[in-house]
Amino acid sequence: MTGRGARSTPSVSGRQKGAIDRTESDRPRQERIEIHLITDRNGLPLSLGISGANIHDSLGLEPLARGIPPIRSRRGPRRRRPAKLHADKGYDYDHLRKWLRKRGIRHRIARKGIGSSTRLGRHRWVVERTVSWLAGCRRLHRRYERKAEHFLAFVGIASALIGYRRLIR
């Protein structure tokens, strides 16, 4: 043999010669997803949704608020909407505030550039705790499903498990 051509023996570094070393940005792009949710004051998910990671959070508030099921009350008819909504600075837009006001929902949304959201942190930690409960489900760490509907179904199953665990306590 003359030694010409590609060899298939491993090199010193352990890789085959001619193998491509891809950086993180060169790898095939995975679909990145954000999970949006509205919870009650105890952390039980009331409404779930998913969207692409490149879509702003504020676009998901209206569909989530419309998706809240009627809430059973001890007296009178079922409530069709929450009494108050707490949100972080990502939802600080006038059109969202007007939409919530028109639906009769009192809102507590942190303002951009005005102070910190530490006062809202007393209420926001409930949502963050629920997100961490969802993160405890290994299936939701990475999206294995091709269809977004399948991933949303797994998020729904995980939230049903959260509700079941709270119920048996």
PDB file of all heavy atoms in Angstrom, residues 2 8 12 16 18 20 33 50 52 59 67 78 82-83 103 120 127 133 139 144 149 152-153 157 162 167:
ATOM      1  N   THR A   2       0.397   2.224  -0.658  1.00  0.00           N
ATOM      2  CA  THR A   2       1.168   3.462  -0.756  1.00  0.00           C
ATOM      3  C   THR A   2       0.818   4.438   0.349  1.00  0.00           C
ATOM      4  O   THR A   2       1.500   5.419   0.533  1.00  0.00           O
ATOM      5  CB  THR A   2       0.909   4.125  -2.110  1.00  0.00           C
ATOM      6  OG1 THR A   2      -0.468   4.423  -2.209  1.00  0.00           O
ATOM      7  CG2 THR A   2       1.353   3.220  -3.241  1.00  0.00           C
ATOM      8  N   SER A   8      -9.344   4.306   7.926  1.00  0.00           N
ATOM      9  CA  SER A   8     -10.437   4.145   8.880  1.00  0.00           C
ATOM     10  C   SER A   8      -9.929   3.815  10.265  1.00  0.00           C
ATOM     11  O   SER A   8     -10.691   3.427  11.130  1.00  0.00           O
ATOM     12  CB  SER A   8     -11.389   3.049   8.403  1.00  0.00           C
ATOM     13  OG  SER A   8     -10.685   1.825   8.332  1.00  0.00           O
ATOM     14  N   VAL A  12      -4.938   9.565  17.106  1.00  0.00           N
ATOM     15  CA  VAL A  12      -4.467   9.659  18.482  1.00  0.00           C
ATOM     16  C   VAL A  12      -5.551  10.180  19.403  1.00  0.00           C
ATOM     17  O   VAL A  12      -5.679   9.758  20.541  1.00  0.00           O
ATOM     18  CB  VAL A  12      -3.207  10.563  18.540  1.00  0.00           C
ATOM     19  CG1 VAL A  12      -2.739  10.745  19.962  1.00  0.00           C
ATOM     20  CG2 VAL A  12      -2.119   9.999  17.667  1.00  0.00           C
ATOM     21  N   GLN A  16     -12.001   9.191  14.374  1.00  0.00           N
ATOM     22  CA  GLN A  16     -11.503   8.752  13.078  1.00  0.00           C
ATOM     23  C   GLN A  16     -11.037   9.959  12.288  1.00  0.00           C
ATOM     24  O   GLN A  16     -11.592  11.059  12.433  1.00  0.00           O
ATOM     25  CB  GLN A  16     -12.599   8.028  12.313  1.00  0.00           C
ATOM     26  CG  GLN A  16     -12.906   6.667  12.867  1.00  0.00           C
ATOM     27  CD  GLN A  16     -13.880   5.928  11.975  1.00  0.00           C
ATOM     28  OE1 GLN A  16     -14.439   6.494  11.058  1.00  0.00           O
ATOM     29  NE2 GLN A  16     -14.058   4.655  12.255  1.00  0.00           N
ATOM     30  N   GLY A  18     -10.866  12.434   9.421  1.00  0.00           N
ATOM     31  CA  GLY A  18     -11.899  12.900   8.509  1.00  0.00           C
ATOM     32  C   GLY A  18     -13.242  13.099   9.188  1.00  0.00           C
ATOM     33  O   GLY A  18     -14.177  13.580   8.586  1.00  0.00           O
ATOM     34  N   ILE A  20     -16.039  14.859  11.440  1.00  0.00           N
ATOM     35  CA  ILE A  20     -16.327  16.271  11.664  1.00  0.00           C
ATOM     36  C   ILE A  20     -16.608  16.493  13.138  1.00  0.00           C
ATOM     37  O   ILE A  20     -17.417  15.786  13.736  1.00  0.00           O
ATOM     38  CB  ILE A  20     -17.536  16.713  10.822  1.00  0.00           C
ATOM     39  CG1 ILE A  20     -17.241  16.502   9.340  1.00  0.00           C
ATOM     40  CG2 ILE A  20     -17.895  18.153  11.114  1.00  0.00           C
ATOM     41  CD1 ILE A  20     -18.441  16.711   8.462  1.00  0.00           C
ATOM     42  N   ILE A  33     -39.166  24.318  22.948  1.00  0.00           N
ATOM     43  CA  ILE A  33     -40.553  24.577  23.338  1.00  0.00           C
ATOM     44  C   ILE A  33     -40.584  25.203  24.718  1.00  0.00           C
ATOM     45  O   ILE A  33     -39.775  24.864  25.580  1.00  0.00           O
ATOM     46  CB  ILE A  33     -41.351  23.263  23.338  1.00  0.00           C
ATOM     47  CG1 ILE A  33     -41.669  22.878  21.918  1.00  0.00           C
ATOM     48  CG2 ILE A  33     -42.612  23.376  24.133  1.00  0.00           C
ATOM     49  CD1 ILE A  33     -42.595  21.730  21.807  1.00  0.00           C
ATOM     50  N   ILE A  50     -48.360  25.204  25.036  1.00  0.00           N
ATOM     51  CA  ILE A  50     -46.966  25.166  24.621  1.00  0.00           C
ATOM     52  C   ILE A  50     -46.806  26.092  23.423  1.00  0.00           C
ATOM     53  O   ILE A  50     -47.763  26.375  22.706  1.00  0.00           O
ATOM     54  CB  ILE A  50     -46.503  23.738  24.256  1.00  0.00           C
ATOM     55  CG1 ILE A  50     -47.342  23.159  23.125  1.00  0.00           C
ATOM     56  CG2 ILE A  50     -46.495  22.837  25.458  1.00  0.00           C
ATOM     57  CD1 ILE A  50     -46.818  21.854  22.585  1.00  0.00           C
ATOM     58  N   GLY A  52     -43.399  27.774  20.672  1.00  0.00           N
ATOM     59  CA  GLY A  52     -41.993  27.770  20.329  1.00  0.00           C
ATOM     60  C   GLY A  52     -41.234  28.717  21.239  1.00  0.00           C
ATOM     61  O   GLY A  52     -41.782  29.690  21.757  1.00  0.00           O
ATOM     62  N   LEU A  59     -47.829  36.584  24.099  1.00  0.00           N
ATOM     63  CA  LEU A  59     -48.798  36.097  23.119  1.00  0.00           C
ATOM     64  C   LEU A  59     -49.579  34.891  23.629  1.00  0.00           C
ATOM     65  O   LEU A  59     -50.612  34.541  23.062  1.00  0.00           O
ATOM     66  CB  LEU A  59     -48.091  35.740  21.810  1.00  0.00           C
ATOM     67  CG  LEU A  59     -47.375  36.892  21.121  1.00  0.00           C
ATOM     68  CD1 LEU A  59     -46.635  36.393  19.898  1.00  0.00           C
ATOM     69  CD2 LEU A  59     -48.372  37.960  20.740  1.00  0.00           C
ATOM     70  N   GLY A  67     -58.732  29.337  28.232  1.00  0.00           N
ATOM     71  CA  GLY A  67     -58.780  27.894  28.449  1.00  0.00           C
ATOM     72  C   GLY A  67     -59.032  27.474  29.877  1.00  0.00           C
ATOM     73  O   GLY A  67     -59.069  26.272  30.156  1.00  0.00           O
ATOM     74  N   ARG A  78     -71.089  28.620  38.806  1.00  0.00           N
ATOM     75  CA  ARG A  78     -69.647  28.432  38.661  1.00  0.00           C
ATOM     76  C   ARG A  78     -69.004  29.690  38.101  1.00  0.00           C
ATOM     77  O   ARG A  78     -69.565  30.352  37.236  1.00  0.00           O
ATOM     78  CB  ARG A  78     -69.363  27.270  37.711  1.00  0.00           C
ATOM     79  CG  ARG A  78     -69.802  25.965  38.265  1.00  0.00           C
ATOM     80  CD  ARG A  78     -69.498  24.875  37.298  1.00  0.00           C
ATOM     81  NE  ARG A  78     -69.867  23.609  37.904  1.00  0.00           N
ATOM     82  CZ  ARG A  78     -69.408  22.453  37.516  1.00  0.00           C
ATOM     83  NH1 ARG A  78     -68.590  22.386  36.501  1.00  0.00           N
ATOM     84  NH2 ARG A  78     -69.773  21.352  38.120  1.00  0.00           N
ATOM     85  N   PRO A  82     -60.893  33.725  36.735  1.00  0.00           N
ATOM     86  CA  PRO A  82     -60.301  33.976  38.053  1.00  0.00           C
ATOM     87  C   PRO A  82     -60.591  35.404  38.513  1.00  0.00           C
ATOM     88  O   PRO A  82     -60.877  36.291  37.709  1.00  0.00           O
ATOM     89  CB  PRO A  82     -58.808  33.766  37.819  1.00  0.00           C
ATOM     90  CG  PRO A  82     -58.616  34.011  36.373  1.00  0.00           C
ATOM     91  CD  PRO A  82     -59.885  33.582  35.704  1.00  0.00           C
ATOM     92  N   ALA A  83     -60.518  35.622  39.812  1.00  0.00           N
ATOM     93  CA  ALA A  83     -60.757  36.954  40.355  1.00  0.00           C
ATOM     94  C   ALA A  83     -59.539  37.853  40.149  1.00  0.00           C
ATOM     95  O   ALA A  83     -59.672  39.045  39.884  1.00  0.00           O
ATOM     96  CB  ALA A  83     -61.099  36.868  41.835  1.00  0.00           C
ATOM     97  N   ARG A 103     -62.427  41.703  30.591  1.00  0.00           N
ATOM     98  CA  ARG A 103     -62.986  40.421  31.026  1.00  0.00           C
ATOM     99  C   ARG A 103     -63.331  40.406  32.508  1.00  0.00           C
ATOM    100  O   ARG A 103     -63.869  39.427  33.002  1.00  0.00           O
ATOM    101  CB  ARG A 103     -62.014  39.289  30.729  1.00  0.00           C
ATOM    102  CG  ARG A 103     -61.951  38.983  29.257  1.00  0.00           C
ATOM    103  CD  ARG A 103     -61.144  37.758  28.980  1.00  0.00           C
ATOM    104  NE  ARG A 103     -61.503  36.619  29.796  1.00  0.00           N
ATOM    105  CZ  ARG A 103     -62.160  35.556  29.372  1.00  0.00           C
ATOM    106  NH1 ARG A 103     -62.555  35.507  28.129  1.00  0.00           N
ATOM    107  NH2 ARG A 103     -62.400  34.551  30.178  1.00  0.00           N
ATOM    108  N   LEU A 120     -44.211  40.783  43.932  1.00  0.00           N
ATOM    109  CA  LEU A 120     -44.947  39.752  43.223  1.00  0.00           C
ATOM    110  C   LEU A 120     -44.332  38.378  43.433  1.00  0.00           C
ATOM    111  O   LEU A 120     -44.973  37.367  43.189  1.00  0.00           O
ATOM    112  CB  LEU A 120     -44.996  40.053  41.726  1.00  0.00           C
ATOM    113  CG  LEU A 120     -46.102  40.984  41.286  1.00  0.00           C
ATOM    114  CD1 LEU A 120     -45.934  41.318  39.817  1.00  0.00           C
ATOM    115  CD2 LEU A 120     -47.447  40.365  41.524  1.00  0.00           C
ATOM    116  N   VAL A 127     -46.043  29.413  40.940  1.00  0.00           N
ATOM    117  CA  VAL A 127     -45.946  28.985  39.549  1.00  0.00           C
ATOM    118  C   VAL A 127     -44.582  28.351  39.283  1.00  0.00           C
ATOM    119  O   VAL A 127     -44.482  27.321  38.609  1.00  0.00           O
ATOM    120  CB  VAL A 127     -46.189  30.178  38.598  1.00  0.00           C
ATOM    121  CG1 VAL A 127     -46.026  29.767  37.154  1.00  0.00           C
ATOM    122  CG2 VAL A 127     -47.560  30.764  38.831  1.00  0.00           C
ATOM    123  N   TRP A 133     -42.081  21.048  39.420  1.00  0.00           N
ATOM    124  CA  TRP A 133     -42.746  19.747  39.487  1.00  0.00           C
ATOM    125  C   TRP A 133     -42.841  19.140  38.090  1.00  0.00           C
ATOM    126  O   TRP A 133     -42.636  17.938  37.915  1.00  0.00           O
ATOM    127  CB  TRP A 133     -44.142  19.869  40.074  1.00  0.00           C
ATOM    128  CG  TRP A 133     -44.184  20.119  41.537  1.00  0.00           C
ATOM    129  CD1 TRP A 133     -43.196  19.917  42.452  1.00  0.00           C
ATOM    130  CD2 TRP A 133     -45.299  20.627  42.271  1.00  0.00           C
ATOM    131  NE1 TRP A 133     -43.619  20.275  43.703  1.00  0.00           N
ATOM    132  CE2 TRP A 133     -44.907  20.717  43.618  1.00  0.00           C
ATOM    133  CE3 TRP A 133     -46.581  21.034  41.918  1.00  0.00           C
ATOM    134  CZ2 TRP A 133     -45.756  21.157  44.611  1.00  0.00           C
ATOM    135  CZ3 TRP A 133     -47.424  21.479  42.906  1.00  0.00           C
ATOM    136  CH2 TRP A 133     -47.013  21.541  44.237  1.00  0.00           C
ATOM    137  N   ARG A 139     -39.700  12.868  30.840  1.00  0.00           N
ATOM    138  CA  ARG A 139     -40.152  12.917  29.453  1.00  0.00           C
ATOM    139  C   ARG A 139     -40.235  14.360  28.937  1.00  0.00           C
ATOM    140  O   ARG A 139     -40.178  14.583  27.738  1.00  0.00           O
ATOM    141  CB  ARG A 139     -41.522  12.244  29.362  1.00  0.00           C
ATOM    142  CG  ARG A 139     -42.084  12.108  27.999  1.00  0.00           C
ATOM    143  CD  ARG A 139     -41.323  11.064  27.245  1.00  0.00           C
ATOM    144  NE  ARG A 139     -41.780  10.953  25.887  1.00  0.00           N
ATOM    145  CZ  ARG A 139     -41.678   9.865  25.178  1.00  0.00           C
ATOM    146  NH1 ARG A 139     -41.151   8.791  25.699  1.00  0.00           N
ATOM    147  NH2 ARG A 139     -42.088   9.844  23.939  1.00  0.00           N
ATOM    148  N   TYR A 144     -39.057  14.560  22.461  1.00  0.00           N
ATOM    149  CA  TYR A 144     -38.794  13.417  21.603  1.00  0.00           C
ATOM    150  C   TYR A 144     -39.850  13.280  20.506  1.00  0.00           C
ATOM    151  O   TYR A 144     -39.616  12.626  19.511  1.00  0.00           O
ATOM    152  CB  TYR A 144     -38.787  12.122  22.420  1.00  0.00           C
ATOM    153  CG  TYR A 144     -37.683  12.075  23.439  1.00  0.00           C
ATOM    154  CD1 TYR A 144     -37.945  12.253  24.785  1.00  0.00           C
ATOM    155  CD2 TYR A 144     -36.374  11.847  23.050  1.00  0.00           C
ATOM    156  CE1 TYR A 144     -36.934  12.207  25.713  1.00  0.00           C
ATOM    157  CE2 TYR A 144     -35.349  11.800  23.976  1.00  0.00           C
ATOM    158  CZ  TYR A 144     -35.645  11.980  25.307  1.00  0.00           C
ATOM    159  OH  TYR A 144     -34.638  11.936  26.221  1.00  0.00           O
ATOM    160  N   GLU A 149     -48.702  18.229  19.358  1.00  0.00           N
ATOM    161  CA  GLU A 149     -49.889  17.740  20.081  1.00  0.00           C
ATOM    162  C   GLU A 149     -49.524  16.607  21.016  1.00  0.00           C
ATOM    163  O   GLU A 149     -50.077  16.490  22.114  1.00  0.00           O
ATOM    164  CB  GLU A 149     -50.970  17.270  19.103  1.00  0.00           C
ATOM    165  CG  GLU A 149     -51.532  18.360  18.227  1.00  0.00           C
ATOM    166  CD  GLU A 149     -50.718  18.567  16.962  1.00  0.00           C
ATOM    167  OE1 GLU A 149     -49.928  17.661  16.584  1.00  0.00           O
ATOM    168  OE2 GLU A 149     -50.851  19.636  16.354  1.00  0.00           O
ATOM    169  N   LEU A 152     -47.807  18.122  24.029  1.00  0.00           N
ATOM    170  CA  LEU A 152     -48.814  18.766  24.882  1.00  0.00           C
ATOM    171  C   LEU A 152     -49.591  17.715  25.674  1.00  0.00           C
ATOM    172  O   LEU A 152     -49.947  17.947  26.830  1.00  0.00           O
ATOM    173  CB  LEU A 152     -49.753  19.613  24.040  1.00  0.00           C
ATOM    174  CG  LEU A 152     -50.839  20.383  24.783  1.00  0.00           C
ATOM    175  CD1 LEU A 152     -50.225  21.351  25.783  1.00  0.00           C
ATOM    176  CD2 LEU A 152     -51.730  21.116  23.807  1.00  0.00           C
ATOM    177  N   ALA A 153     -49.828  16.554  25.080  1.00  0.00           N
ATOM    178  CA  ALA A 153     -50.517  15.482  25.799  1.00  0.00           C
ATOM    179  C   ALA A 153     -49.680  14.993  26.976  1.00  0.00           C
ATOM    180  O   ALA A 153     -50.214  14.741  28.063  1.00  0.00           O
ATOM    181  CB  ALA A 153     -50.826  14.328  24.850  1.00  0.00           C
ATOM    182  N   ILE A 157     -50.620  14.994  30.917  1.00  0.00           N
ATOM    183  CA  ILE A 157     -50.519  13.831  31.798  1.00  0.00           C
ATOM    184  C   ILE A 157     -49.707  14.179  33.036  1.00  0.00           C
ATOM    185  O   ILE A 157     -50.070  13.804  34.162  1.00  0.00           O
ATOM    186  CB  ILE A 157     -49.906  12.641  31.038  1.00  0.00           C
ATOM    187  CG1 ILE A 157     -50.887  12.117  29.987  1.00  0.00           C
ATOM    188  CG2 ILE A 157     -49.519  11.517  32.003  1.00  0.00           C
ATOM    189  CD1 ILE A 157     -50.293  11.112  29.035  1.00  0.00           C
ATOM    190  N   ILE A 162     -49.659  15.722  38.901  1.00  0.00           N
ATOM    191  CA  ILE A 162     -49.478  16.727  39.954  1.00  0.00           C
ATOM    192  C   ILE A 162     -50.781  16.884  40.741  1.00  0.00           C
ATOM    193  O   ILE A 162     -50.780  16.912  41.970  1.00  0.00           O
ATOM    194  CB  ILE A 162     -49.029  18.069  39.352  1.00  0.00           C
ATOM    195  CG1 ILE A 162     -47.600  17.960  38.845  1.00  0.00           C
ATOM    196  CG2 ILE A 162     -49.151  19.201  40.363  1.00  0.00           C
ATOM    197  CD1 ILE A 162     -47.150  19.171  38.052  1.00  0.00           C
ATOM    198  N   LEU A 167     -54.102  15.558  45.574  1.00  0.00           N
ATOM    199  CA  LEU A 167     -55.379  15.047  46.041  1.00  0.00           C
ATOM    200  C   LEU A 167     -55.209  13.967  47.109  1.00  0.00           C
ATOM    201  O   LEU A 167     -55.952  13.936  48.090  1.00  0.00           O
ATOM    202  CB  LEU A 167     -56.182  14.496  44.863  1.00  0.00           C
ATOM    203  CG  LEU A 167     -57.612  14.131  45.125  1.00  0.00           C
ATOM    204  CD1 LEU A 167     -58.415  15.369  45.503  1.00  0.00           C
ATOM    205  CD2 LEU A 167     -58.217  13.472  43.896  1.00  0.00           C
TER     206      LEU A 167
END
